[in-house]
Amino acid sequence: MATPLGADRFLSVLKGAGLGVVEHGNWRTHNRNTHGNWGPVNGVMIHHTGPYSSEKDMVELCRTGYQDLPGPLCQGVIDRSGTVHLIGYGRCNHAGMGDTDVLLAVIAERATLPRDNEADTDGNRHFYGFECINTGSQPWPAAQLDAMARAAAALCHAHGWNEHSVIGHKEWQPGKPDPGGIDMDDFRARVARHLRGGGNKPKPHPKPAPRPKPKPNPGPKPRPTPRYAAYPGAQFFREGRSSPVITAMAKRLIAEGCDAYDTPPGPVWNEAHRRSYAAYQIKRGFHGADANGIPGPETWADLRVPHQASTTEPTPTTQHQEHDPMPQSLADIAERTLATYLQALLGLMAASSTTDMVSLSAWQAAAVASIPAALSAMKSTLGTALGRQGTASWLPAKHDPATPKY
């Protein structure tokens, strides 16, 4: 027989047992003390709630009660995660009328309880009550069972009781089935284990032994930075140009969904390559003259064409190759000089066969002979303006501008 704990002490005892506690509203003063005595207390009673729509709604129902049974319906509700919800403190409508013989056995802490066959004693006065959320037929989660036993053991320890001060509602009032699915002798054995553990406080976890420092283990080698083909310039992309970089470009265009190829693309620049690249330029937001199918530096950088080995395939058709500037210039000068000389010589020879070299006719012949030289210079100038670097097309290619040596 004992005086009930104060509300703050009650809260402290539960938290000291390692329980998660949620406080609801004015739980410290929410009670039925005006409708009967509260105390002396003799034990702890365990219930199940019965059917519920949600755990939150059930906690609120236990706090407020209903028309035929006003709340609070217990001091604490233990949800299925093991959290204790404090909803009232003092006399609560949870135990109802029960068997006097059972109360006397609890006070004496007898291991065996008599059969509850009478309802002649007010249990709300003598027991702390915990409503545990369960329909009565659900499996009991391990976390909830542990919290129920831990809460009961904490109150027993605070009052100096043993596990036989804990009973189920079905052991107190005739006809009650709760808590369903729990053997109360097994439950009291759980409470006893917590009491033997020392005031129901959770045992501290031993500090793990320090792990040996791992030996340095070199991680995977970083992936090499991908290398992309340098932009070879707009002049590179001319009909007949052959290069492995064009094949690599085509593969990237196909991967980007810009495929205008009727047959598998090869290394020779052609109209299918141009159409496919124009589709890529449009995809990148270019239109009109900016989407002419000739790669520019911006879209080329975006396309990320893989770098190719610095080899050049033979060009099968008319070539527009780029050469080292100094040999190209020297070759152009030699070719133009020779061509001009031969053209002038032929012109003079033709003129000298019909006129006197020192007469006015000779001067006219010289003027005529100058025409081929002027035409040759014009040809060279026009060729340069149109993009051909001179006329030395007989020079061999030195390297592929799209696959520079590194």
Side-chain angles (χ1 to χ4, degrees):
M1 190 174 294
T3 301
L5 301 175
D8 289 339
R9 173 68 175 150
F10 180 76
L11 174 63
S12 176
V13 163
L14 294 178
K15 286 186 174 181
L19 293 162
V21 179
V22 177
E23 302 176 65
H24 292 262
N26 59 340
W27 70 272
R28 288 175 171 81
T29 57
H30 183 44
N31 53 57
R32 302 287 295 170
N33 289 358
T34 58
H35 292 72
N37 292 332
W38 166 232
V41 289
N42 304 106
V44 181
M45 189 174 293
I46 304 296
H47 307 260
H48 74 237
T49 59
Y52 59 95
S53 57
S54 71
E55 293 189 64
K56 180 180 178 180
D57 290 343
M58 180 52 72
V59 171
E60 183 61 17
L61 176 63
C62 291
R63 190 183 76 84
T64 59
Y66 44 92
Q67 185 175 359
D68 295 336
L69 191 64
L73 305 185
C74 57
Q75 283 82 27
V77 179
I78 302 178
D79 68 22
R80 295 179 68 76
S81 71
T83 300
V84 181
H85 299 263
L86 299 185
I87 58 172
Y89 197 69
R91 180 184 176 91
C92 301
N93 281 332
H94 71 96
M97 301 299 288
D99 196 305
T100 301
D101 293 335
V102 173
L103 176 61
L104 293 175
V106 169
I107 293 171
E109 296 185 323
R110 294 175 188 162
T112 303
L113 293 175
R115 182 181 176 186
D116 55 326
N117 55 8
E118 293 181 318
D120 55 1
T121 297
D122 177 14
N124 293 334
R125 171 182 181 176
H126 294 286
F127 290 95
Y128 297 102
F130 289 99
E131 288 283 354
C132 307
I133 297 180
N134 188 289
T135 61
S137 58
Q138 288 177 294
W140 289 90
Q144 187 180 25
L145 280 174
D146 180 71
M148 292 158 59
R150 195 179 290 276
L155 292 174
C156 288
H157 178 76
H159 285 289
W161 301 332
N162 67 22
E163 69 274 15
H164 298 296
S165 293
V166 181
I167 64 172
H169 196 197
K170 60 188 176 184
E171 296 175 303
W172 168 249
Q173 191 176 71
K176 292 293 183 181
D178 56 313
I182 293 180
D183 183 299
M184 289 307 298
D185 287 333
D186 290 343
F187 185 79
R188 281 185 280 269
R190 282 176 174 265
V191 174
R193 288 194 292 271
H194 283 298
L195 287 170
R196 288 195 298 270
N200 198 38
K201 291 184 179 180
K203 295 180 180 179
H205 295 288
K207 293 183 179 180
R211 295 181 179 180
K213 293 183 179 180
K215 296 180 180 180
N217 183 20
K221 294 182 179 179
R223 294 181 180 180
T225 303
R227 295 171 63 188
Y228 301 117
Y231 177 58
Q235 300 303 323
F236 177 79
F237 301 98
R238 296 287 185 180
E239 191 74 24
R241 164 71 73 182
S242 179
S243 171
V245 80
I246 295 177
T247 306
M249 176 203 71
K251 291 179 180 179
R252 286 291 300 125
L253 290 173
I254 293 171
E256 290 287 335
C258 301
D259 182 357
Y261 298 103
D262 298 324
T263 59
V268 180
W269 178 264
N270 55 28
E271 181 63 15
H273 287 304
R274 191 197 65 78
R275 291 196 307 268
S276 298
Y277 204 93
Y280 179 68
Q281 288 169 324
I282 293 171
K283 179 180 179 180
R284 299 297 298 168
F286 294 90
H287 300 282
D290 294 329
N292 59 4
I294 302 301
E298 183 178 348
T299 54
W300 186 265
D302 291 341
L303 188 59
R304 302 191 303 276
V305 177
H307 172 74
Q308 305 298 306
S310 57
T311 58
T312 303
E313 299 179 7
T315 303
T317 59
T318 304
Q319 303 178 23
H320 300 281
Q321 297 173 328
E322 298 176 12
H323 309 282
D324 293 336
M326 185 57 70
Q328 175 74 49
S329 300
L330 294 175
D332 288 344
I333 292 171
E335 184 177 20
R336 291 174 187 177
T337 301
L338 180 60
T340 302
Y341 173 77
L342 291 174
Q343 290 167 351
L345 179 60
L346 290 175
L348 289 172
M349 290 293 293
S352 64
S353 65
T354 59
T355 64
D356 185 354
M357 293 296 294
V358 296
S359 67
L360 180 61
S361 298
W363 289 101
Q364 292 175 339
V368 172
S370 300
I371 294 174
L375 292 174
S376 178
M378 182 182 297
K379 172 179 177 292
S380 179
T381 304
L382 288 174
T384 301
L386 293 174
R388 288 192 59 187
Q389 300 295 324
T391 58
S393 57
W394 48 272
L395 283 175
K398 297 299 182 183
H399 66 275
D400 185 341
T403 53
K405 294 181 180 180
Y406 293 97

